[in-house]
Amino acid sequence: MTRSTAVAHEGVSSLVLPSRRTLLVRSGQAVLSASAIAILAGCETMAGSRQANADSTANDAEILNTALGLEYEGVAAYQVGVESGLLSSAVRDLAVTFQDHHKAHADLLAATVRKLGGMPVEPKRTSEYVFPVDQLKSETDVIRFAAGLEQGATSAYLGAVPLFGDRELAKAAASILGDEAMHWAVLRYALGEEPVPDAFVS
Amino acid sequence: MLSAWGRVAPIAMKQAIHILGLVVLLTGLVAAARGQGSGAGDPERGKALYARCQGCHSIDRNRIGPLHRGLFGRRAGSVDGFDYSQAMRASGIVWDEATLDAFLAAPRDYIPGTRMIYAGIKDPQERADLIAYLKEATR
């Protein structure tokens, strides 16, 4: 975090965030990263495998679909934060960056569900997520809300990884888990909390 | 000397066994009084464990998983407005300490076909802690 931006904002003391350029290196909606393509390629190999068991494949697709719903919720939650009018420009940029990551996860998950012969779930309308918007009164509230979702997403992926029948899919889920955990750590840091509070996530 | 020891040893051994038994009994009673090893849950520890659930669940709103308010005594698959799996709706389960304990240990084994994507909590004490928290928080 050499190119950091210090932001003093109501409710967030000494908030220090990396600049978006530092944090976000050509991420976003335009392209899936090379690693995502590699993950998807692995999933394609799996989907065509003669050894793939039909029940196991259906089970894996269902797990991915639940994860997809989680990613759509994350995208919508960041949209609420971005549109709240409560975020400084640095935090807003960070929120957009993380939202882009969730969109990339969702794209990958939806594509993989289709490869496995499943029907990807669709995102809900933002109002259907019933976010606690009445409790978001400050930038700190928004960051804390996002941090909670990222922590939960990390736990959700951790709980899901052992369930996959196919190891390539477990690996893909673990890759997303790592990204969610990094989001959570950065948001904790932004809140002035220990970014990595423990040696393990649970 | 040897013959004297030969007479004393059986008596001393008997007393030692009695004392040891008493110690074991007292230790067990103290542990039970503290809730250790009895399966009693600690809601404070359970609150921290609930963070694992919050990827998908909330106490007060349906998310990827159903809300938890009113969990105890509720029939599985019956929260209004939540789109459950057929397996959950048809399970016939009513949530209480015992059914939650079995479900949380291995959700997809207990209700095959559930959409809950969680491998389960293998530690019985952690399950007890989480259930203790849920009992308080979902009233």
Side-chain angles (χ1 to χ4, degrees):
Chain A
M1 295 192 182
T2 52
R3 296 181 51 146
S4 60
T5 307
V7 180
H9 197 267
E10 185 181 2
V12 182
S13 61
S14 304
L15 178 62
V16 181
L17 293 170
S19 72
R20 187 164 191 234
R21 182 175 296 174
T22 306
L23 193 77
L24 172 61
V25 182
R26 290 189 294 280
S27 107
Q29 302 143 313
V31 290
L32 284 175
S33 70
S35 57
I37 290 167
I39 289 165
L40 184 54
C43 296
E44 283 173 338
T45 303
M46 190 285 305
S49 168
R50 272 175 262 161
Q51 296 175 0
N53 173 292
D55 287 346
S56 173
T57 301
N59 180 63
D60 287 352
E62 191 174 64
I63 296 167
L64 293 174
N65 238 344
T66 302
L68 177 58
L70 195 63
E71 296 291 348
Y72 284 143
E73 185 191 46
V75 171
Y78 275 107
Q79 194 62 32
V80 166
V82 166
E83 293 176 354
S84 68
L86 296 166
L87 303 184
S88 61
S89 64
V91 174
R92 188 179 182 284
D93 283 351
L94 188 71
V96 171
T97 300
F98 290 176
Q99 184 188 44
D100 286 347
H101 292 177
H102 288 291
K103 286 176 181 174
H105 300 163
D107 289 347
L108 178 69
L109 292 169
T112 309
V113 169
R114 279 190 212 96
K115 295 282 181 195
L116 297 176
M119 180 70 75
V121 294
E122 293 291 327
K124 297 177 185 175
R125 290 192 303 274
T126 302
S127 60
E128 289 180 284
Y129 288 109
V130 199
F131 294 129
V133 287
D134 56 322
Q135 294 169 27
L136 304 179
K137 311 277 190 201
S138 68
E139 182 169 83
T140 302
D141 294 339
V142 175
I143 297 173
R144 200 171 295 285
F145 171 55
L149 290 178
E150 298 288 6
Q151 180 184 10
T154 303
S155 293
Y157 277 103
L158 186 64
V161 164
L163 299 174
F164 285 103
D166 185 87
R167 286 183 174 215
E168 286 298 327
L169 293 175
K171 179 179 160 187
S175 170
I176 296 175
L177 184 162
D179 188 58
E180 313 281 17
M182 285 191 277
H183 292 178
W184 180 35
V186 170
L187 293 169
R188 283 180 60 90
Y189 185 69
L191 289 166
E193 297 173 0
E194 182 98 33
V196 185
D198 206 342
F200 303 95
V201 295
S202 63
Chain B
M1 187 73 178
L2 260 178
S3 63
W5 173 248
R7 285 195 304 275
V8 172
I11 297 166
M13 187 72 82
K14 216 176 230 179
Q15 285 175 336
I17 288 168
H18 285 153
I19 290 167
L20 187 64
L22 194 61
V23 168
V24 168
L25 179 65
L26 285 172
T27 304
L29 287 172
V30 169
R34 289 179 178 168
Q36 294 170 347
S38 67
D42 178 343
E44 276 306 307
R45 286 200 301 258
K47 186 177 182 180
L49 291 167
Y50 188 67
R52 296 182 194 174
C53 313
Q54 288 177 304
C56 300
H57 291 278
S58 161
I59 299 292
D60 284 315
R61 63 188 177 96
N62 287 333
R63 293 180 56 211
I64 307 304
L67 59 82
H68 281 145
R69 179 74 63 199
L71 178 65
F72 284 76
R74 186 165 77 204
R75 191 168 52 79
S78 67
V79 169
D80 283 345
F82 188 80
D83 181 24
Y84 288 96
S85 65
Q86 174 60 24
M88 185 63 78
R89 281 198 303 270
S91 67
I93 288 165
V94 174
W95 296 120
D96 58 22
E97 289 183 11
T99 54
L100 279 170
D101 184 63
F103 180 66
L104 290 170
R108 296 170 81 84
D109 290 341
Y110 192 61
I111 305 180
T114 178
R115 293 198 192 109
M116 181 152 140
I117 54 167
Y118 190 60
I121 302 172
K122 303 309 171 196
D123 182 339
Q125 187 59 56
E126 285 191 348
R127 292 199 302 275
D129 293 341
L130 180 59
I131 291 166
Y133 169 70
L134 286 169
K135 207 166 187 180
E136 285 188 4
T138 64
R139 283 183 192 141

